Amino acid sequence: MASGHRSPSLEPPGPQPIRRLHESLINRIAAGEIIHRPASALKELLENSLDAGSTSIQVTVKDGGMKLLQIQDNGCGIRKEDLPLLAERFTTSKLTTFSDLSKLTTYGFRGEALASISHVAHLTVITKTKSSNCAWKAAYVDGGLVPSKAGYTPDPKPCAGNNGTTITIEDMFYNTPTRLSALRSSSEEYARILDVMTKYAVHNSKVSFSCKKAGSLSPELSTPSCSDASQAIRQLYGHSIAKELLHITASSVSDDNTDMDDPEDPEAWSADAYFTNANYQGKKIALLLFINHRLVESHRIKRSIESTYSGILPKGSSPFVYLSINLDPRSVDVNVHPTKREVHFLNEEAIIERISDAIQQRLAGQSQSRVFEYQTLLTGGIAQSASRKGKEKASNVDELEGDDEGPEADRRVSGSQVAKKVLSQHKVRTSLQDRTLDSMIPVADPLRTNSDEPVTAIRLRDIKQSTCHFASITELRRLATKRIHHDLTEIIKKHTFVGMIDLSRCLTLIQHNKNLYMVNHAALAEEMFYQLALLQFGDYNRLKLDPPPSLRTLVKFAVDVEEDTARSGMSNDEIVDRIVKTLMDRREMLHEYFSLDISETGDVKTLPHLLREYTPNLDKLPMFLMRLGPQVLWESEQECFGSFMRELAYFYSPAPLSVVSAAASDEDEQEKQKSEAWRIQNILFHAMRKYLAAPKFLLDNDVVQVASLPDLYRVFERC
Ligand code: ADP
Ligand code: MG
């Protein structure tokens, strides 16, 4: 076998003697593991300063920190007698026994940072405690005190200074040239330093931070002490992030289990998160993750957050997330090297899941407010479209009118999704696989298996025109063809669904080429169902009701909720009797032409099924049956068929959700709305592409062009 052969030239050399590495070399190697670059040294120093209770921290940098990195704090200072030990490995004021190790809550905890730094750079410390009369200055190399100037003793020297500590690191990696050459440009190292500082400044909003280049008068980064994290984020990351910020807290203490609130419980945890909503779309994820106040990395948390946002942000854009988790220090894996930024902790998965769920819920709740943003933008068309239907309950529309107007809503428009999504005036949403507004909102729908499922996943079965010899039907079909508006039909056929504006007013935004249209989807759907009824006249599939409900009960139900029955001069029961009789008398006709089967005993057995993939909302069935009485012109053939099909279409069209249910906070109701929205988008709009031959009258009120993208682009470019 090949592996058995060895060419003589590859014969291994004889054993080499083992030599002990020089201790300073060992330390230097170890130091390199901890201090990778100026920013990692700064992180350790910042943590020390914060541990020391500082409220003000000033950093000065030269040459990306490679030449000089100085940090001045106003913390508790270091006692003079501790200075000789300061830079020795494994010396710390924070840990004395092994059990301490597991209880430690401060940042670094192994006494390695300063020691490591002293092995790769020149380290000088000036420090003063409150009780000391003067400050003390000490210099270190390779873990031990050295004279600060030739001819002096290595002992700390008294000097003038304020309370607190100033640590100066010079010539980083002077003795490890390979490490030095591995560093990038000083501007990149400086950027990393600023990044670390900015993150700590957000997490420690009450502490004031400043960072400047040596010799420069004005600091590049400067934060006053802020009231809270969100204010610090605004200061440091800017308005564009701050204005889209959401906040949650989560903890191991669940509502139903209050006795978990035990400070000694090693599994107790709490989390605090500030994160952007879908209006903010950054290029790269900005994740500020602090565990027990230590800036760390966790791939699992990052992945989980990314997947939470994957259903909300378009591909290629990322959120800003600041997440602080506090755990019992005993549950953090202390075997991980103190500066290794990747951490693991007890119950990691469960905790991450809880936090992600909380974030997701908050984001989903937020979608509500985005809905209103559109309304304001598109107010011009709403009133018209919504009031189109005389037969719809006008009160719904009236009551909702204007409740979203006002300065707050107006202001939001500029940040609206529409503008954000349109990056160039010539970008056109044409693919059905494109993300829609709704697909960015996580929806649990029984019908829906995958939120990213493209719309095309629903395959509509072909519907053939029935053969029918009635002159009346032929005439109705001819009239329908005559009304077709070709451009509008083309818009519907080729549209891309953008998003639902308002379910209660049946308003949806679609795009065709470079134009955005607001459409009344109920009106469009109604027209489509009318055409489907006409197309299949006399040959409908049947929708079976099992057990069959009683016609009388249904009609009575509808009549009883009707408000203005008194005007007819009849009692409700009389009205019900009359409607039931009208329908019972025409049972055969209804059965033969419309597949509406009513049994001899008056039970409704089947309904015509106009679109196999869609079941009408059966809440509307009582109203449909009731309306058949007065609304259908039973006497003339053509009008009877025509008006019956109109009523049928109205029954099939998605009902505007009532004001009550639209405002309902109750979960069931919200679920219902989400699934209704899903059906409208994925079944109705899809079917409209295929079946709607749009009549011209829809242009009157139900389709309004709200924006042309090139114009929008110009507007937002100016913002
Ligand atoms: P650790 O932080 O893990 O204890 P370090 O090497 O970072 O180890 O620091 C060693 C010790 O020096 C700390 O335990 C602390 O007592 C002291 N120290 C370091 N920096 C400061 C500072 N800025 N203010 C007060 N004490 C400090
Ligand atoms: Mg430390």
Side-chain angles (χ1 to χ4, degrees), residues 1-13:
M1 296 295 282
S3 59
H5 289 285
R6 277 227 178 99
S7 76
S9 63
L10 289 180
E11 202 68 50

Side-chain angles (χ1 to χ4, degrees), residues 44-45 48-49 51-52 54 73 75-78 86 88 91-94 107-115 127 164-165 167:
E44 295 295 328
L45 298 180
N48 282 346
S49 293
D51 275 351
S54 311
D73 70 40
C76 64
I78 302 164
L86 185 71
E88 237 169 70
T91 58
T92 168
S93 61
K94 302 166 192 171
Y107 295 102
F109 43 71
R110 287 178 173 189
E112 282 187 87
L114 290 176
T127 186
T165 307
I167 293 191

Side-chain angles (χ1 to χ4, degrees), residues 38 61-69 169-172:
V61 177
K62 196 171 185 175
D63 203 5
M66 291 178 279
K67 192 82 200 119
L68 172 84
L69 183 63
I169 300 171
E170 285 163 294
D171 302 318
M172 191 172 282

Side-chain angles (χ1 to χ4, degrees), residues 16-20:
Q16 300 288 311
I18 297 174
R19 289 189 209 96
R20 187 180 293 276

